[in-house]
Every structure is written in structure tokens, then in C-alpha cells.
CSV table of all heavy atoms in Angstrom, one decimal:
chain,number,residue,atom,x,y,z
A,154,LEU,N,-40.0,56.3,-24.5
A,154,LEU,CA,-40.8,57.6,-24.3
A,154,LEU,C,-41.7,57.3,-23.1
A,154,LEU,O,-41.9,58.1,-22.2
A,154,LEU,CB,-41.6,57.9,-25.5
A,154,LEU,CG,-42.6,59.1,-25.4
A,154,LEU,CD1,-41.8,60.4,-25.2
A,154,LEU,CD2,-43.4,59.1,-26.7
A,155,PHE,N,-42.4,56.2,-23.1
A,155,PHE,CA,-43.3,55.8,-22.0
A,155,PHE,C,-42.7,55.8,-20.7
A,155,PHE,O,-43.1,56.5,-19.7
A,155,PHE,CB,-44.0,54.4,-22.3
A,155,PHE,CG,-44.9,54.0,-21.1
A,155,PHE,CD1,-46.2,54.5,-21.0
A,155,PHE,CD2,-44.4,53.2,-20.2
A,155,PHE,CE1,-47.0,54.1,-20.0
A,155,PHE,CE2,-45.2,52.7,-19.2
A,155,PHE,CZ,-46.5,53.2,-19.1
A,156,TRP,N,-41.6,55.1,-20.5
A,156,TRP,CA,-40.9,55.0,-19.2
A,156,TRP,C,-40.3,56.4,-18.8
A,156,TRP,O,-40.3,56.7,-17.6
A,156,TRP,CB,-39.8,53.9,-19.3
A,156,TRP,CG,-40.5,52.5,-19.2
A,156,TRP,CD1,-40.4,51.6,-20.2
A,156,TRP,CD2,-41.3,52.0,-18.2
A,156,TRP,NE1,-41.2,50.5,-19.9
A,156,TRP,CE2,-41.6,50.7,-18.6
A,156,TRP,CE3,-41.6,52.5,-16.9
A,156,TRP,CZ2,-42.4,49.9,-17.7
A,156,TRP,CZ3,-42.4,51.6,-16.1
A,156,TRP,CH2,-42.8,50.4,-16.5
A,157,THR,N,-39.8,57.1,-19.7
A,157,THR,CA,-39.3,58.4,-19.4
A,157,THR,C,-40.4,59.4,-18.8
A,157,THR,O,-40.3,59.9,-17.7
A,157,THR,CB,-38.6,59.1,-20.6
A,157,THR,OG1,-37.5,58.2,-21.0
A,157,THR,CG2,-38.1,60.5,-20.2
A,158,ALA,N,-41.5,59.4,-19.6
A,158,ALA,CA,-42.6,60.2,-19.0
A,158,ALA,C,-43.2,59.6,-17.8
A,158,ALA,O,-43.6,60.5,-16.9
A,158,ALA,CB,-43.7,60.2,-20.1
A,159,ALA,N,-43.2,58.3,-17.6
A,159,ALA,CA,-43.7,57.7,-16.4
A,159,ALA,C,-42.9,58.0,-15.2
A,159,ALA,O,-43.4,58.4,-14.1
A,159,ALA,CB,-43.8,56.2,-16.6
A,160,VAL,N,-41.6,58.0,-15.3
A,160,VAL,CA,-40.7,58.4,-14.2
A,160,VAL,C,-40.8,59.8,-13.8
A,160,VAL,O,-41.0,60.2,-12.7
A,160,VAL,CB,-39.2,58.0,-14.5
A,160,VAL,CG1,-38.3,58.6,-13.5
A,160,VAL,CG2,-39.0,56.5,-14.6
A,161,ILE,N,-40.9,60.7,-14.9
A,161,ILE,CA,-41.0,62.1,-14.6
A,161,ILE,C,-42.5,62.4,-13.9
A,161,ILE,O,-42.5,63.1,-12.9
A,161,ILE,CB,-40.9,62.9,-15.8
A,161,ILE,CG1,-39.5,62.9,-16.4
A,161,ILE,CG2,-41.4,64.4,-15.7
A,161,ILE,CD1,-39.3,63.5,-17.8
A,162,GLY,N,-43.5,61.7,-14.5
A,162,GLY,CA,-44.8,61.9,-13.9
A,162,GLY,C,-44.9,61.3,-12.4
A,162,GLY,O,-45.6,61.9,-11.6
A,163,ALA,N,-44.0,60.3,-12.2
A,163,ALA,CA,-44.2,59.7,-10.9
A,163,ALA,C,-43.4,60.6,-9.8
A,163,ALA,O,-43.8,60.5,-8.7
A,163,ALA,CB,-43.6,58.2,-10.8
A,164,LEU,N,-42.4,61.2,-10.2
A,164,LEU,CA,-41.6,62.1,-9.4
A,164,LEU,C,-42.2,63.5,-9.2
A,164,LEU,O,-41.9,64.1,-8.2
A,164,LEU,CB,-40.1,62.2,-9.9
A,164,LEU,CG,-39.4,61.0,-9.9
A,164,LEU,CD1,-38.0,61.2,-10.5
A,164,LEU,CD2,-39.2,60.3,-8.5
A,165,LEU,N,-43.0,63.9,-10.1
A,165,LEU,CA,-43.6,65.2,-10.0
A,165,LEU,C,-44.5,65.5,-8.8
A,165,LEU,O,-44.5,66.7,-8.3
A,165,LEU,CB,-44.5,65.5,-11.4
A,165,LEU,CG,-44.8,66.9,-11.7
A,165,LEU,CD1,-43.6,67.8,-11.8
A,165,LEU,CD2,-45.6,67.0,-12.9
A,166,PRO,N,-45.3,64.5,-8.3
A,166,PRO,CA,-46.1,65.0,-7.2
A,166,PRO,C,-45.4,65.4,-5.9
A,166,PRO,O,-45.9,66.1,-5.1
A,166,PRO,CB,-46.9,63.6,-6.8
A,166,PRO,CG,-46.9,62.9,-8.1
A,166,PRO,CD,-45.6,63.2,-8.8
A,167,PHE,N,-44.2,64.9,-5.7
A,167,PHE,CA,-43.4,65.3,-4.4
A,167,PHE,C,-43.1,66.8,-4.5
A,167,PHE,O,-43.5,67.5,-3.5
A,167,PHE,CB,-42.1,64.5,-4.3
A,167,PHE,CG,-42.5,63.0,-4.2
A,167,PHE,CD1,-42.2,62.1,-5.2
A,167,PHE,CD2,-43.0,62.5,-3.0
A,167,PHE,CE1,-42.6,60.8,-5.1
A,167,PHE,CE2,-43.3,61.1,-2.8
A,167,PHE,CZ,-43.1,60.3,-3.9
A,168,PRO,N,-42.4,67.4,-5.4
A,168,PRO,CA,-42.2,68.9,-5.4
A,168,PRO,C,-43.4,69.7,-5.5
A,168,PRO,O,-43.6,70.7,-4.9
A,168,PRO,CB,-41.2,69.1,-6.5
A,168,PRO,CG,-41.3,68.0,-7.4
A,168,PRO,CD,-41.7,66.8,-6.7
A,169,VAL,N,-44.5,69.2,-6.3
A,169,VAL,CA,-45.7,69.9,-6.4
A,169,VAL,C,-46.4,70.0,-5.0
A,169,VAL,O,-46.9,71.0,-4.7
A,169,VAL,CB,-46.6,69.3,-7.5
A,169,VAL,CG1,-48.0,69.9,-7.4
A,169,VAL,CG2,-46.0,69.5,-8.9
A,170,ALA,N,-46.4,69.0,-4.4
A,170,ALA,CA,-47.1,68.9,-3.1
A,170,ALA,C,-46.4,69.8,-2.0
A,170,ALA,O,-47.0,70.5,-1.3
A,170,ALA,CB,-47.0,67.5,-2.5
A,171,LEU,N,-45.1,69.7,-2.1
A,171,LEU,CA,-44.3,70.7,-1.2
A,171,LEU,C,-44.5,72.1,-1.5
A,171,LEU,O,-44.7,72.9,-0.6
A,171,LEU,CB,-42.8,70.2,-1.2
A,171,LEU,CG,-42.5,68.9,-0.5
A,171,LEU,CD1,-41.0,68.6,-0.6
A,171,LEU,CD2,-42.9,68.9,0.9
A,172,LEU,N,-44.5,72.4,-2.8
A,172,LEU,CA,-44.7,73.8,-3.2
A,172,LEU,C,-46.1,74.2,-2.9
A,172,LEU,O,-46.3,75.5,-2.6
A,172,LEU,CB,-44.4,73.9,-4.7
A,172,LEU,CG,-44.1,75.3,-5.3
A,172,LEU,CD1,-43.0,76.0,-4.5
A,172,LEU,CD2,-43.8,75.2,-6.7
A,173,ALA,N,-47.0,73.3,-3.0
A,173,ALA,CA,-48.5,73.8,-2.8
A,173,ALA,C,-48.7,74.1,-1.4
A,173,ALA,O,-49.7,74.8,-1.0
A,173,ALA,CB,-49.4,72.6,-3.2
A,174,LEU,N,-47.9,73.5,-0.5
A,174,LEU,CA,-48.0,73.9,1.0
A,174,LEU,C,-47.7,75.3,1.2
A,174,LEU,O,-48.1,75.8,2.3
A,174,LEU,CB,-47.2,72.9,1.8
A,174,LEU,CG,-47.7,71.5,1.8
A,174,LEU,CD1,-46.6,70.6,2.5
A,174,LEU,CD2,-49.0,71.4,2.5
A,175,VAL,N,-46.7,75.9,0.5
A,175,VAL,CA,-46.2,77.2,0.8
A,175,VAL,C,-46.6,78.3,-0.1
A,175,VAL,O,-46.4,79.5,0.2
A,175,VAL,CB,-44.7,77.1,1.0
A,175,VAL,CG1,-44.3,76.3,2.1
A,175,VAL,CG2,-44.1,76.8,-0.3
A,176,TRP,N,-47.2,78.0,-1.2
A,176,TRP,CA,-47.4,79.0,-2.3
A,176,TRP,C,-48.9,78.8,-2.9
A,176,TRP,O,-49.1,77.7,-3.4
A,176,TRP,CB,-46.3,78.8,-3.4
A,176,TRP,CG,-46.3,80.0,-4.4
A,176,TRP,CD1,-46.4,81.3,-4.0
A,176,TRP,CD2,-46.1,80.0,-5.8
A,176,TRP,NE1,-46.2,82.1,-5.2
A,176,TRP,CE2,-46.0,81.3,-6.2
A,176,TRP,CE3,-45.9,78.9,-6.7
A,176,TRP,CZ2,-45.8,81.5,-7.5
A,176,TRP,CZ3,-45.7,79.1,-8.0
A,176,TRP,CH2,-45.6,80.4,-8.4
A,177,ARG,N,-49.6,79.8,-2.7
A,177,ARG,CA,-51.0,79.7,-3.1
A,177,ARG,C,-51.3,79.3,-4.6
A,177,ARG,O,-52.1,78.5,-4.9
A,177,ARG,CB,-51.8,81.0,-2.7
A,177,ARG,CG,-53.2,81.0,-3.2
A,177,ARG,CD,-54.2,80.3,-2.3
A,177,ARG,NE,-54.6,81.0,-1.0
A,177,ARG,CZ,-55.0,80.5,0.0
A,177,ARG,NH1,-55.0,79.1,0.0
A,177,ARG,NH2,-55.3,81.1,1.1
A,178,PRO,N,-50.5,79.9,-5.5
A,178,PRO,CA,-50.8,79.6,-6.9
A,178,PRO,C,-50.5,78.1,-7.2
A,178,PRO,O,-51.1,77.5,-8.1
A,178,PRO,CB,-49.9,80.5,-7.7
A,178,PRO,CG,-49.7,81.7,-6.8
A,178,PRO,CD,-49.8,81.1,-5.4
A,179,ALA,N,-49.4,77.6,-6.6
A,179,ALA,CA,-49.1,76.2,-6.8
A,179,ALA,C,-50.2,75.3,-6.3
A,179,ALA,O,-50.4,74.2,-6.9
A,179,ALA,CB,-47.8,75.8,-6.1
A,180,GLU,N,-50.9,75.7,-5.3
A,180,GLU,CA,-52.1,74.9,-4.9
A,180,GLU,C,-53.2,74.9,-5.9
A,180,GLU,O,-53.8,73.8,-6.0
A,180,GLU,CB,-52.6,75.4,-3.6
A,180,GLU,CG,-53.7,74.7,-2.9
A,180,GLU,CD,-54.1,75.3,-1.7
A,180,GLU,OE1,-53.6,76.3,-1.2
A,180,GLU,OE2,-55.1,74.7,-1.1
A,181,ALA,N,-53.4,75.9,-6.7
A,181,ALA,CA,-54.4,76.0,-7.7
A,181,ALA,C,-54.0,75.1,-8.9
A,181,ALA,O,-54.8,74.6,-9.6
A,181,ALA,CB,-54.6,77.4,-8.0
A,182,VAL,N,-52.7,75.1,-9.1
A,182,VAL,CA,-52.2,74.4,-10.4
A,182,VAL,C,-51.9,72.9,-10.2
A,182,VAL,O,-51.8,72.1,-11.0
A,182,VAL,CB,-50.9,75.1,-10.9
A,182,VAL,CG1,-50.3,74.5,-12.1
A,182,VAL,CG2,-51.2,76.6,-11.3
A,183,ALA,N,-51.9,72.5,-8.8
A,183,ALA,CA,-51.5,71.2,-8.5
A,183,ALA,C,-52.3,70.1,-9.2
A,183,ALA,O,-51.8,69.1,-9.7
A,183,ALA,CB,-51.5,71.0,-7.0
A,184,PRO,N,-53.7,70.2,-9.3
A,184,PRO,CA,-54.5,69.1,-10.0
A,184,PRO,C,-54.1,69.0,-11.4
A,184,PRO,O,-54.3,67.9,-11.9
A,184,PRO,CB,-55.8,69.6,-9.8
A,184,PRO,CG,-55.9,70.5,-8.6
A,184,PRO,CD,-54.6,71.2,-8.6
A,185,LEU,N,-53.7,70.1,-12.1
A,185,LEU,CA,-53.2,69.9,-13.5
A,185,LEU,C,-52.0,69.2,-13.6
A,185,LEU,O,-51.8,68.5,-14.7
A,185,LEU,CB,-53.1,71.3,-14.1
A,185,LEU,CG,-54.4,72.2,-14.2
A,185,LEU,CD1,-54.1,73.6,-14.7
A,185,LEU,CD2,-55.5,71.5,-15.1
A,186,LEU,N,-51.0,69.4,-12.7
A,186,LEU,CA,-49.7,68.7,-12.8
A,186,LEU,C,-49.7,67.3,-12.3
A,186,LEU,O,-48.8,66.5,-12.5
A,186,LEU,CB,-48.7,69.6,-12.0
A,186,LEU,CG,-48.4,71.0,-12.5
A,186,LEU,CD1,-47.5,71.8,-11.6
A,186,LEU,CD2,-47.9,71.0,-14.0
A,187,THR,N,-50.7,67.0,-11.5
A,187,THR,CA,-50.7,65.6,-10.9
A,187,THR,C,-52.2,65.0,-11.1
A,187,THR,O,-53.0,64.9,-10.2
A,187,THR,CB,-50.5,65.7,-9.4
A,187,THR,OG1,-51.4,66.6,-8.8
A,187,THR,CG2,-49.1,66.2,-9.0
A,188,PRO,N,-52.5,64.6,-12.3
A,188,PRO,CA,-53.8,64.0,-12.6
A,188,PRO,C,-54.0,62.7,-11.9
A,188,PRO,O,-55.1,62.3,-11.6
A,188,PRO,CB,-53.8,63.9,-14.1
A,188,PRO,CG,-52.3,63.8,-14.5
A,188,PRO,CD,-51.6,64.6,-13.5
A,189,GLY,N,-53.0,62.0,-11.4
A,189,GLY,CA,-53.1,60.8,-10.7
A,189,GLY,C,-53.8,61.0,-9.4
A,189,GLY,O,-54.6,60.2,-9.0
A,190,LEU,N,-53.5,62.1,-8.8
A,190,LEU,CA,-54.2,62.4,-7.4
A,190,LEU,C,-55.7,62.7,-7.6
A,190,LEU,O,-56.4,62.3,-6.8
A,190,LEU,CB,-53.5,63.7,-6.9
A,190,LEU,CG,-52.0,63.5,-6.5
A,190,LEU,CD1,-51.4,64.9,-6.1
A,190,LEU,CD2,-51.9,62.5,-5.4
A,191,VAL,N,-56.0,63.3,-8.8
A,191,VAL,CA,-57.4,63.7,-9.0
A,191,VAL,C,-58.1,62.4,-9.4
A,191,VAL,O,-59.3,62.2,-8.9
A,191,VAL,CB,-57.6,64.6,-10.2
A,191,VAL,CG1,-59.0,64.8,-10.6
A,191,VAL,CG2,-56.8,66.0,-9.9
A,192,LEU,N,-57.5,61.5,-10.0
A,192,LEU,CA,-58.2,60.1,-10.3
A,192,LEU,C,-58.4,59.3,-9.2
A,192,LEU,O,-59.3,58.5,-9.0
A,192,LEU,CB,-57.3,59.4,-11.4
A,192,LEU,CG,-57.3,60.0,-12.7
A,192,LEU,CD1,-56.3,59.2,-13.6
A,192,LEU,CD2,-58.6,60.1,-13.5
A,193,LEU,N,-57.5,59.5,-8.0
A,193,LEU,CA,-57.6,58.6,-6.9
A,193,LEU,C,-58.4,59.3,-5.8
A,193,LEU,O,-58.6,58.8,-4.8
A,193,LEU,CB,-56.2,58.4,-6.3
A,193,LEU,CG,-55.3,57.5,-7.2
A,193,LEU,CD1,-53.9,57.3,-6.6
A,193,LEU,CD2,-55.9,56.1,-7.4
């Protein structure tokens, strides 16, 4: 469970970042989907 969630969580920032560049609502939701970016 840990490794599955970790891999999904590690791959999630790439499409979220690309989507946030072109779609305003995705930019608002990005901090919720990528908490690692907020922590860093």
C-alpha cells in the first residue's frame, strides 16, 4: 500500500504542473494534489 501510494504520489506532480499551466482551476487545486510542493 505504501509503495503504490508513493509511486502514484510521485508521478502526480508532472501532469498537475502541466495542467496548471493551461487551466486556471487546475492551478487553484494544484496545492491540494501536490502537498510535497507546499512542504518544500
